[in-house]
């Protein structure tokens, strides 16, 4: 029957008949029966999410009886006072009632920020009373706990006790005092002062009662919220609202990470429609202007005159979203993009062009499967599509700011945090003037999504605060860019919604999304309320600045959600920004750096900087399948990328530099001393378009600084000459590529570093008993080679840094300096590097590159090879191509039947002392078999099996290393030794039959773009 209709009436008529049929039986797109009356007739019920007016709970069942607050025992529940943020110097007082014979503490907390559920899920100071121990404690929380002081103290029980905390900001830090019954019982000075915040209550493992709270002598009333129906506040009235376009469709499945839903997420149910609702006239019928009961709509946007709808849509059986347009009266449906690409998020530009997000620029994200995405633009008719962003991961959710800049979310990893780097960036519609807008070091929210400017403002946007992993929704808040790009919570950004007080990286099935600012105090949004055994149901709500909301519309079909509310009204188009591009046939732009020392002083003294190195993170050309060190394909212990060096340029005596940089590539800069060692590196990318001329003030300078006057007397020296062309060091020409078509500019450990080790190190560091236990040969190991695994793994070089500040953790810095300093991206901090604390200058390795250690002089060019490798975050492979795509990391040589024989002996003879060979011993890392920081993956030498440490470690010298151990091999004639050796020899044969990318004869080589 279906085929008959297709032949008789054509595809379009079939869809019309299907639509009519669904409408007749009351399907999801039945037109004529829907109004908003029942939604807007719902009475107003003020939010009762808190048991105490002006206080917000973070876990626990808090109760208020008259003026006494009963706090529950448990894992650090908190109740935080919301209306004000206390100053840095203040007093807080309350009375507590502690019953005797109860374990745990009762505390007042101050300087509270980034608050969430969980014992340590907040920043702030804790002033705690342990009645069972008769001690008081002062502690510090920064999403963890640090004891500041614990003092014996008489704490009366079974009666009301006056407790006062005093906080004073002094030059040395924060002076904290705890007073009981008018007597000071504890004092401490915190030399790393926390910023001002809010105050609250926090018991731990015990019930306690509080009353008579005061701040600076002003009583804070503890009272219950008023329940019952009330008139809607002015901010939730609907009479003034314009008609609203909405997208009706099923919710989409959970993606691995936000920014991936455009290709990965699938609707739970088929069907999609564009509808218009009119909250000002609730009796008016809901109008359907486009529908497809079998297809689906991803997102939508409106032209500035409010007449044209741009939306991304895919019909039934289509794999890819594409951009369409239709008039608001339902006429003029037209497809604008096509091809085997995902095209979403259309954004009209003031020029009449359309910006959008697409996968059509090749590449894959590094730590998740699937294609990367970039910003593109096209003419209004869909012609002349061109790329305007260079990100190797994902750009998404573009919107225009009134000042003519394009605002969007960028996901990036430049040797930096793998989870909290979906921040907001801006650029001109031509791709120039690329810069951070907000949030590169903010960890309160993994992502800032779907951001739109408040009417007429470019310095304040409403945004979805969402996780990195999981659904692209969470809380809704405001970002106040006028306070800088990294201002803390309560200053640079604030939460509007209350149900999710802190997002972090927690994914929510039902939450907020799609905010649209009607004013500075009113917003439209989509919200998914969770229904038992059904999952969240998304509807359109009117939201006010206080976090109160009013339901405007839900689709009558319970399988359909409602998303992307867009007021049908004309708005003032943004400014048109003149293009900064010049017509150029060269794929280069120019960069003027005024003074590199701005931002580096006082750590780097004037005269120390000699040059700048330009590095590129090469776009990933292989998709993810099976991980090692969290990577697929595995590239190194540190970076997940292949790194290409474009060369170095000089820095003038006044700190200025003027040079060419490649366009539309993910590049960053390193500041070097005269020996080629990194003093500081960028941890975000530069974007330069062909012919663009761009300038910056310094290196990691304050982004709110203004450049010095470029008068005749202060003109930078570099600006008085032609721009430098990046030049590779002369020694680079001596690198012999591993494969004929390899790009020698891409840093390859085997061709760049290993020849230096072969010439100056392996004479001693090789064989069955290498000097110091370090085998620095190029013999192959599980994923890398002996030298690489020994330098980074056996040396215990991995050091964890504070995820917020970027400084090395005290327990890590108390160890000796690492042999090779590197960052593993999965646990790399968000905070900015301090100069001199990264790369080769933070490593001991250079101490061994001396004539005293090597008994021969090592030339400078050999040292620079090693410096370059370390400062590039220790890349090993120069290509994403691989020979074992079904193994962990796509390069694992420990696969095959041989390993069963090896493991059988290892389990009997070795494991009782050494534990399972695949156990990750670093508690901060990912506990998986293919991550290990101890060098144990180098216990098997696949190039020379007889030199495997698993065989030689306990053999007597000179046949082995002679390490004492009971019950181990004493001779090579031991049957278990021979069984292990034969197993490794079979592994060697497998390796040689299918060479890996770090070996001659690799059959799957390709050029990396």
């Amino acid at each position: 029957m279906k085929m008959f209709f297709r032949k008789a009436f054509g595809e379009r008529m079939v869809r019309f008949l299907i639509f009519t049929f669904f409408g007749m039986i009351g399907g999801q797109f039945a037109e004529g029966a829907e109004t908003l009356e029942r939604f807007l007739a719902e009475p107003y019920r003020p939010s009762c999410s808190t048991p105490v007016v002006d206080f917000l709970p973070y876990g626990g069942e808090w109760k208020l009886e008259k003026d006494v607050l009963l706090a529950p025992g448990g894992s650090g529940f908190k109740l935080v006072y919301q209306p004000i943020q206390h100053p840095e110097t203040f007093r807080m007082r309350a009375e507590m009632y502690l019953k005797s014979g109860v374990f745990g503490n009762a505390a007042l907390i101050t300087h509270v920020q980034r608050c969430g559920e969980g014992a340590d899920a907040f920043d702030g100071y804790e002033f705690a009373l342990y009645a069972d121990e008769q001690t008081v404690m002062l502690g510090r929380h920064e999403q963890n706990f640090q004891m500041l002081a614990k003092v014996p103290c008489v704490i009366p029980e079974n009666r009301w006790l006056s407790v006062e905390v005093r906080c004073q900001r002094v030059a040395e830090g924060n002076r904290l005092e705890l007073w009981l019954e008018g007597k000071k019982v504890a004092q401490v000075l915190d030399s790393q002062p926390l910023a001002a915040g809010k105050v609250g209550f926090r018991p731990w493992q015990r019930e306690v009662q509080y009353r008579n709270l005061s701040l600076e002598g002003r009583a804070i009333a503890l009272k219950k919220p008023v329940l019952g129906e009330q008139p809607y506040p002015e901010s939730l009235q609907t009479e003034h609202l314009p008609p609203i376009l909405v997208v009706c469709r099923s919710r989409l499945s959970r993606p691995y990470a936000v920014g991936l839903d455009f290709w990965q997420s699938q609707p739970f149910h088929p069907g999609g429609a564009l509808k218009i609702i009119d909250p000002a006239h609730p009796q008016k019928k809901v109008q359907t202007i486009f529908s497809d009961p079998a297809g689906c709509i991803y997102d939508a946007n409106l032209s500035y005159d409010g007449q044209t709808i741009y939306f991304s849509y895919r019909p039934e059986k289509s794999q890819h979203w594409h951009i369409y347009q239709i008039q608001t009266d339902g006429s003029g449906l037209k497809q604008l993009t096509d091809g085997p690409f995902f095209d979403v998020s259309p954004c009209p530009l003031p020029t009449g062009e359309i910006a959008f997000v697409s996968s059509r620029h090749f590449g894959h994200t590094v730590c998740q499967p699937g294609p990367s995405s970039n910003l593109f633009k096209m003419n209004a008719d869909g012609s002349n599509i061109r790329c305007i962003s260079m990100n190797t991961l994902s750009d998404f959710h573009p919107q225009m700011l009134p000042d003519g800049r394009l605002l969007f979310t960028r996901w990036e990893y430049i040797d930096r945090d793998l989870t909290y780097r979906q921040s907001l960036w801006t650029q001109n519609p031509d791709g120039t003037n690329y810069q951070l807008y907000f949030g590169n070091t903010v960890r309160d929210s993994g992502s800032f999504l779907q951001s739109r400017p408040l009417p007429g403002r470019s310095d304040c946007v409403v945004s979805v605060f969402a996780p990195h992993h999981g659904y692209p929704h969470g809380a809704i808040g405001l970002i106040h860019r006028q306070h800088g790009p990294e201002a803390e919570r309560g200053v640079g950004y604030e939460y509007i919604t209350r149900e999710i007080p802190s997002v972090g990286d927690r994914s929510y099935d039902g939450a907020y999304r799609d905010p649209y600012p009607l004013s500075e105090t009113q917003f439209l949004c989509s919200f998914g309320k969770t229904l038992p055994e059904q999952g969240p149901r998304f509807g359109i709500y009117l939201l006010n600045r206080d976090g109160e909301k009013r339901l405007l519309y839900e689709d009558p079909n319970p399988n359909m959600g409602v998303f992307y509310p867009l007021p049908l009204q004309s708005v003032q188009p943004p400014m048109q920004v003149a293009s900064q591009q010049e017509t150029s046939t060269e794929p280069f732009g120019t960069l003027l750096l005024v003074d590199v020392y701005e931002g580096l002083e006082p750590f780097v003294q004037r005269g120390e900087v000699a040059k700048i190195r330009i590095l590129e993170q090469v776009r990933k050309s292989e998709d993810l399948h099976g991980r090692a060190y969290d990577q697929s394909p595995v590239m190194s212990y540190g970076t997940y990328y292949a790194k290409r060096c474009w060369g170095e340029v000089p820095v003038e005596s006044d700190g200025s530099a003027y040079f060419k940089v490649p366009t539309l590539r993910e590049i960053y800069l390193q500041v070097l001393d005269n020996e080629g060692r990194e003093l500081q590196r960028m941890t975000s990318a530069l974007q330069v378009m062909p012919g663009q001329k761009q300038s910056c003030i310094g290196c990691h300078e304050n982004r709110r600084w203004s450049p010095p006057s470029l008068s005749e007397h202060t003109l930078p020296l570099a600006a008085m000459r032609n721009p430098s062309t990046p030049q590779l060091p002369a020694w680079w020409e001596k690198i012999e590529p591993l494969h004929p078509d390899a790009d020698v500019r891409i840093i390859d450990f085997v061709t760049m570093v290993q020849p230096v080790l072969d010439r100056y190190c392996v004479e001693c560091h090789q064989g069955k008993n290498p000097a110091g236990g370090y085998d620095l040969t190029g013999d192959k190991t599980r994923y890398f080679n002996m030298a690489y695994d020994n330098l980074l793994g056996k040396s215990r070089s991995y050091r964890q840094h504070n995820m917020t500040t970027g400084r090395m953790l005290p327990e890590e810095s108390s160890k000796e300096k690492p042999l090779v300093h590197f960052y593993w991206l999965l646990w790399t901090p968000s905070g900015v590097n301090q100069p001199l604390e990264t790369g080769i200058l933070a490593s001991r390795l250079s101490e061994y590159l001396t004539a005293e250690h090597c008994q021969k002089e090592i030339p400078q060019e050999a040292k620079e090879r090693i410096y370059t490798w370390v400062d590039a975050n220790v890349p090993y492979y120069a290509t994403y191509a691989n020979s074992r795509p079904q193994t962990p990391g796509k390069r694992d040589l420990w696969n095959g039947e041989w390993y069963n024989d090896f493991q059988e002996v290892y389990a009997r003879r070795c494991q009782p002392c050494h534990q399972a060979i695949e156990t990750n011993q670093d508690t901060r890392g990912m506990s998986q078999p293919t991550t290990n920081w101890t060098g144990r993956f180098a216990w098997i030498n696949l190039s020379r099996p007889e030199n495997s440490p698993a065989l030689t470690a306990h053999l007597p010298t000179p046949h082995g290393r002679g390490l004492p151990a009971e019950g181990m091999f004493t001779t090579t004639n031991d049957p278990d030794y021979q069984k292990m050796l034969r197993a490794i020899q079979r592994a060697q044969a497998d390796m040689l039959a299918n060479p890996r990318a770090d070996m001659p004869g690799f059959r799957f080589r390709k050029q990396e773009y």
Side-chain angles (χ1 to χ4, degrees):
M1 180 64 71
K2 185 175 181 181
M3 183 58 68
F4 168 78
F5 275 114
R6 288 189 189 278
K7 291 181 178 179
F9 300 106
E11 184 73 26
R12 197 169 293 217
M13 180 59 74
V14 169
R15 289 194 181 178
F16 172 76
L17 292 173
I18 293 174
F19 165 78
T20 304
F21 173 72
F22 271 83
M24 290 171 59
I25 64 172
Q28 58 260 52
F29 307 120
E31 188 172 3
E34 293 185 73
T35 70
L36 306 187
E37 291 174 290
R38 71 180 181 89
F39 305 115
L40 298 185
E42 286 289 323
Y44 173 55
R45 296 182 178 89
S47 173
C48 297
S49 60
T50 175
V52 185
V53 172
D54 292 333
F55 286 80
L56 193 62
Y58 296 86
E61 295 294 327
W62 300 77
K63 297 179 181 179
L64 188 63
E65 298 179 0
K66 295 185 178 180
D67 61 349
V68 175
L69 177 67
L70 178 62
S75 58
F77 302 136
K78 299 174 283 291
L79 188 70
V80 179
Y81 184 56
Q82 294 299 305
I84 63 170
Q85 176 171 292
H86 61 68
E88 292 184 321
T89 298
F90 70 99
R91 293 181 303 158
M92 175 186 180
R93 182 184 178 279
E95 291 182 299
M96 297 185 191
Y97 191 97
L98 307 174
K99 292 183 178 180
S100 59
V102 181
F103 166 77
N105 73 46
L108 300 177
I109 53 177
T110 68
H111 297 73
V112 176
Q113 294 194 58
R114 298 196 299 158
C115 202
E117 292 191 23
D120 296 320
F122 75 107
D123 295 353
Y125 294 115
E126 176 185 359
F127 300 78
L129 280 59
Y130 288 85
D132 60 318
E133 299 180 6
Q134 293 291 290
T135 60
V136 296
M137 183 272 294
L138 276 64
R140 170 195 175 99
H141 292 261
E142 266 189 302
Q143 307 300 310
N144 55 21
F145 174 74
Q146 177 186 353
M147 177 84 71
L148 297 179
K150 196 166 187 178
V151 180
C153 177
V154 176
I155 302 176
E157 298 176 286
N158 300 318
R159 71 174 179 84
W160 287 103
L161 171 67
S162 174
V163 182
E164 183 176 320
V165 300
R166 299 181 183 180
C167 305
Q168 183 180 10
R169 183 62 181 268
V170 295
E172 297 82 6
N174 281 339
R175 179 177 293 130
L176 311 172
E177 299 177 358
L178 177 61
W179 295 63
L180 299 185
E181 301 288 78
K183 179 181 177 182
K184 184 165 63 175
V185 296
Q187 174 178 309
V188 70
L189 179 68
D190 182 14
S191 61
Q192 295 180 311
L194 294 175
K198 299 182 183 296
V199 299
F201 308 107
R202 180 184 184 269
W204 183 75
Q205 300 295 344
R206 69 165 295 154
E207 290 187 351
V208 60
Q209 296 178 61
Y210 295 93
R211 73 178 186 186
N212 293 339
L213 172 66
S214 65
L215 286 173
E216 288 292 291
R218 182 175 66 86
I220 306 298
L222 302 179
K223 57 184 180 181
K224 294 182 179 179
V226 179
L227 303 180
E229 297 179 5
Q230 300 178 21
Y232 278 97
E234 180 67 26
S235 57
L236 293 181
Q237 296 293 334
T238 61
E239 290 81 3
H240 67 289
L241 296 181
I244 300 169
L245 174 76
V246 298
V247 172
C248 297
R249 62 160 163 79
S250 166
R251 64 189 180 97
L252 303 180
S253 59
R254 185 184 190 273
Y256 295 131
V258 298
L260 301 182
D261 60 313
F262 81 104
W263 71 267
Q264 185 182 26
S265 295
Q266 302 297 320
F268 286 97
H269 303 278
L274 296 172
K275 297 184 180 183
I276 297 175
I277 63 174
D278 193 349
H281 303 90
Q283 74 286 354
K284 190 174 181 179
K285 294 178 181 179
V286 174
Q287 179 186 1
T288 300
I289 60 172
F290 171 84
S291 66
D292 182 349
C296 190
I297 298 172
Y298 178 83
D299 61 3
N301 216 337
L302 276 171
S303 61
Y304 298 111
D305 62 7
Q307 298 300 309
T308 304
I309 303 165
Y310 303 101
F311 64 106
S312 46
Y313 155 74
R314 67 184 192 195
E316 182 183 13
K317 296 183 180 179
S318 175
Q319 179 183 356
H320 300 97
W321 308 103
H322 286 300
I323 307 296
Y324 290 72
Q325 72 175 33
I326 192 172
Q327 300 305 302
T328 54
D329 63 1
S331 65
L333 177 64
K334 181 180 180 181
Q335 182 173 344
L336 299 180
T337 67
D338 57 15
F341 315 109
F342 297 93
D343 299 327
V344 298
S345 303
C347 173
L349 302 175
T351 58
E353 299 166 301
I354 302 168
F356 64 101
V357 171
S358 179
S359 64
R360 59 184 64 225
H361 193 15
F362 85 96
H364 300 268
T365 59
V366 295
C367 63
Q368 298 292 348
S372 57
S373 64
N374 292 87
L375 299 180
F376 284 74
K377 70 176 180 177
M378 60 184 170
N379 295 344
D381 61 359
S383 63
N384 193 23
I385 294 176
R386 60 271 197 207
C387 182
I388 56 172
S389 77
M390 51 67 212
N391 194 0
T392 59
L393 293 176
S394 295
D395 296 326
F396 39 101
H397 299 160
Q399 294 293 342
M400 289 299 298
L401 294 174
D403 63 12
R405 290 179 294 164
L406 194 62
L407 175 74
F408 60 99
T409 301
R410 171 181 162 80
W411 175 12
E412 71 164 6
Y413 305 144
I414 307 289
D415 293 350
R416 224 70 203 135
D417 184 13
L418 211 64
T419 301
Y420 297 89
R421 269 293 171 101
Q422 287 74 231
S423 46
L424 293 177
W425 289 73
T426 58
Q427 64 180 53
N428 292 342
D430 66 354
T432 62
N433 195 29
Y434 166 84
Q435 58 184 317
L436 175 68
Y437 185 85
F438 186 81
N440 245 20
T441 63
V442 173
R443 297 179 61 83
D444 188 84
S445 172
S447 308
F448 296 108
L449 310 178
Q450 300 177 325
S451 302
R452 286 180 178 268
L454 271 58
R457 297 186 60 176
S458 295
D459 63 348
C460 188
V461 301
V462 64
S463 184
V464 176
F465 299 171
H468 168 49
H469 297 95
Y471 290 105
H473 39 251
I476 287 178
L478 293 178
I479 293 172
H480 304 283
R481 180 57 173 78
Q482 66 269 33
H483 298 294
E486 308 289 358
E488 66 272 14
R489 181 170 177 170
V491 179
Y493 65 103
E494 61 174 302
Y495 282 66
I496 295 175
T497 53
R498 298 179 178 181
E499 294 90 332
I500 304 172
S502 184
V503 173
D505 192 33
R506 181 179 175 183
S507 182
Y508 296 85
D509 286 354
Y512 291 92
R513 52 175 295 151
D514 311 329
Y516 190 101
L518 298 170
S519 68
E520 298 204 1
T521 58
Q522 277 191 317
F523 311 88
L524 297 172
C525 69
S526 179
F527 174 72
K529 62 183 180 183
T530 302
L531 302 176
E533 301 180 0
Q534 184 177 334
R537 186 177 187 193
F538 283 86
I540 299 301
Y541 288 77
L542 180 63
L543 176 73
N544 66 19
R545 187 73 173 264
D546 296 324
E548 299 283 346
K549 59 182 180 290
R550 183 179 187 180
L551 177 63
L552 300 182
Y553 176 66
E554 286 179 341
D555 194 284
N557 185 335
N559 292 330
M560 295 291 110
V562 193
F563 306 92
Y564 297 101
L566 299 167
L568 283 174
Q569 59 187 7
S570 63
V571 296
Q572 179 68 33
M575 293 174 53
Q576 287 195 39
V577 179
S579 176
Q580 296 181 17
Q581 280 187 263
E582 296 179 0
T583 303
S584 175
T585 58
E586 289 190 352
F588 290 96
T590 54
L591 179 65
L592 173 64
L593 192 156
V594 177
D595 186 356
V596 71
Y597 296 100
E598 293 288 353
L600 295 183
E601 294 178 311
F603 307 101
V604 177
Q605 302 299 313
R606 290 195 170 269
E608 289 189 63
V609 177
K611 50 192 174 181
I612 291 172
R613 180 186 294 133
I614 304 166
L615 283 183
E616 176 196 354
Q617 296 200 138
V618 179
R619 186 174 289 267
K620 187 167 173 247
S621 58
E622 293 278 334
D623 206 352
L624 182 145
H625 177 84
R627 300 172 189 256
Y629 292 93
D630 191 47
Q631 304 161 47
S632 175
V634 64
M635 301 300 289
S636 77
Y637 272 36
T639 180
Y640 290 28
Y641 284 96
K643 298 283 189 85
R644 178 184 282 119
C645 182
W646 284 87
E648 299 169 352
V649 295
V651 173
E652 304 294 339
S653 59
D654 64 347
S656 64
Y658 183 38
F659 51 96
K660 295 181 180 180
V661 287
T663 57
L664 277 178
R665 291 181 179 270
E666 190 167 86
I667 60 171
Y668 67 101
L669 308 179
Q670 294 174 315
V671 178
L672 310 179
D673 65 12
N674 59 7
E675 293 188 39
R677 299 174 300 185
E678 175 188 83
L679 301 170
Q680 179 65 298
R681 78 182 67 163
M682 289 180 64
T683 53
S684 280
L686 281 168
Q687 173 170 309
V688 180
M689 302 298 287
Q692 180 189 354
K693 296 178 180 178
Q694 184 172 326
S695 65
C696 59
I697 299 170
C699 181
H700 282 264
E701 81 285 358
N702 189 313
R703 287 182 178 268
R704 303 183 72 190
W705 288 351
S706 297
S709 171
L710 299 183
S711 66
E712 181 181 352
H713 301 290
T714 60
L715 189 66
L717 293 176
M720 301 171 67
R721 57 170 172 78
N722 291 328
S724 303
T725 298
Q727 300 292 326
L728 290 170
W731 52 262
W732 213 294
E733 297 179 359
K734 302 176 184 178
I735 294 177
E736 297 182 6
L738 197 59
H739 310 297
D741 51 359
D743 184 349
V744 294
R745 297 174 300 173
I746 300 181
I747 299 170
D748 184 323
F749 183 87
V750 173
T751 61
M752 176 178 282
V753 178
Q754 192 61 53
V756 176
L757 304 179
D758 290 344
R759 184 167 183 178
Y760 300 102
C761 305
V762 298
E763 182 178 345
C764 299
H765 295 283
Q766 67 170 325
K768 298 178 179 179
N769 185 23
Y774 280 80
D775 185 341
L776 299 184
T777 65
D779 294 352
K780 304 308 176 190
T781 59
R782 183 173 185 176
Y783 298 108
F784 308 110
N785 70 13
M786 277 290 176
Y788 192 87
D789 273 320
N790 275 256
L791 289 172
L792 301 179
K794 178 180 174 56
S795 65
R796 303 296 202 276
S797 280
Y798 183 76
R799 297 287 187 273
Q800 184 58 45
H801 292 243
N802 183 291
M803 299 294 279
T804 300
T805 66
R807 306 300 298 276
M808 193 178 289
L809 293 175
E811 61 268 29
E812 299 278 37
S813 59
S814 64
K815 304 174 185 177
E816 66 177 344
K817 184 188 287 188
L819 184 65
V820 178
H821 180 275
F822 66 94
Y823 290 112
W824 181 39
L825 263 63
L826 185 63
W827 282 86
T828 302
S830 303
V832 175
N833 295 337
Q834 180 168 303
L836 314 182
E837 290 192 356
T838 60
I840 193 64
L841 289 177
S843 307
R844 297 193 334 268
L845 184 57
S846 57
E847 299 172 12
Y848 298 96
L849 304 178
T850 63
E852 290 78 13
H853 180 80
C854 297
Q855 303 302 309
K856 64 183 75 171
E857 194 67 39
I858 299 180
Q860 178 63 24
E861 68 174 43
K863 295 178 183 179
E864 287 190 20
R865 286 183 176 219
I866 294 176
Y867 299 162
T868 302
W869 163 67
V870 176
D871 291 338
N873 205 24
V874 298
Y876 182 83
Y877 289 97
T879 180
Y880 299 104
N882 54 85
S883 58
R884 290 167 172 79
Q886 301 305 313
T887 67
K890 297 190 175 184
R891 307 190 193 276
D892 190 0
L893 296 179
W894 285 17
N895 61 90
E897 291 298 321
W898 69 270
Y899 188 68
N900 294 332
D901 289 345
F902 174 89
Q903 179 62 25
E904 190 279 327
V905 178
Y906 181 88
R908 284 189 292 104
R909 302 289 295 270
C910 312
Q911 193 164 314
C913 293
H914 291 291
Q915 301 180 334
I917 199 169
E918 294 184 339
T919 298
N920 172 20
Q921 296 182 347
D922 190 320
T923 58
R924 297 184 186 87
M926 240 175 131
S927 183
Q928 61 179 26
T930 54
T931 303
N932 195 283
W933 304 112
T934 66
R936 300 174 83 191
F937 291 163
W939 286 3
I940 296 177
N941 187 323
L942 290 159
S943 296
R944 283 177 274 196
E946 67 278 6
N947 287 355
S948 297
L951 299 175
T952 66
H954 303 295
L955 282 177
T957 56
H959 304 292
R961 303 190 182 196
L963 299 176
E966 294 185 7
M968 285 308 298
F969 311 134
T970 58
T971 171
T972 58
N973 294 324
D974 187 301
D976 281 339
Y977 174 96
Q978 289 296 321
K979 184 176 181 178
M980 270 190 165
L981 177 61
R982 288 193 299 271
I984 300 172
Q985 287 171 337
R986 290 186 356 243
Q988 179 190 38
D990 291 345
M991 176 186 73
L992 295 175
N994 183 15
R996 203 168 53 186
D998 58 343
M999 300 171 61
F1002 173 59
R1003 298 195 300 270
F1004 305 97
R1005 61 183 184 267
K1006 63 182 179 183
Q1007 287 187 322
E1008 299 293 348
Y1009 172 73

